[in-house]
Amino acid sequence: MKLFTLLILFMSITACQAQVSYKILEGTWKIEGKEKYEVWESDNSGLTGSSYGIKDGAKRTTETLEIKEEEGKVIYRATVPNQNNGTTIPFTLNADKTEILSFENPEHDFPTQIIYEPVSDSRVLVKVLGADGKGFSYYMDKQ
């Protein structure tokens, strides 16, 4: 009986420590209170996406995104046309933070951290932070 109890306890602890999958981001997400969106589509090696806004009825892409698994790591890449000379900036998933998706690049000026914190199946809190932990956040709802 003790062995069975220990096995159940071990399985419960292991289940609680499972990493949130980046695949929860697949779909179209709308930033709360704004006409701004993030769209993620699945492909063979991860997700590709973009951020865009609607202004005067026209769609304007502001950022291209991807999340790919490479050499045992999950890498988030963001390319903003008018920043960093158009260079793509990589952020590595911190696998130690199991309740959230925390993509980090301490070498980048800002942001150094992009966090997706699931609130429910259809809502996430996004935090964009600098090295000092300051930045901004917003909610996105799945469309």
Side-chain angles (χ1 to χ4, degrees), residues 22-131:
Y22 64 86
K23 293 183 181 185
I24 65 163
L25 297 175
E26 187 172 0
T28 300
W29 297 82
K30 183 179 186 294
I31 295 175
E32 183 177 66
K34 297 185 179 190
E35 286 299 314
K36 294 187 177 183
Y37 300 83
E38 207 169 279
V39 177
W40 291 97
E41 296 177 347
S42 184
D43 65 19
N44 291 335
S45 60
L47 298 176
T48 57
S50 65
S51 292
Y52 68 90
I54 305 291
K55 188 173 181 181
D56 300 326
K59 178 180 173 180
R60 297 194 176 142
T61 300
T62 56
E63 185 175 24
T64 57
L65 306 164
E66 71 175 15
I67 300 174
K68 305 287 182 185
E69 296 180 42
E70 298 174 4
E71 299 175 6
K73 295 180 180 180
V74 176
I75 310 297
Y76 176 109
R77 287 190 173 81
T79 307
V80 180
N82 298 322
Q83 293 180 10
N84 305 302
N85 297 317
T87 302
T88 300
I89 305 300
F91 297 83
T92 303
L93 178 65
N94 183 336
D96 292 336
K97 298 180 179 179
T98 58
E99 305 274 323
I100 60 175
L101 297 170
S102 181
F103 297 99
E104 303 173 5
N105 181 341
E107 304 302 314
H108 188 52
D109 56 354
F110 185 89
T112 57
Q113 227 179 344
I114 301 168
I115 298 170
Y116 291 86
E117 183 176 331
V119 176
S120 70
D121 290 342
S122 60
R123 187 169 175 86
V124 295
L125 173 62
V126 180
K127 298 176 185 176
V128 181
L129 306 173

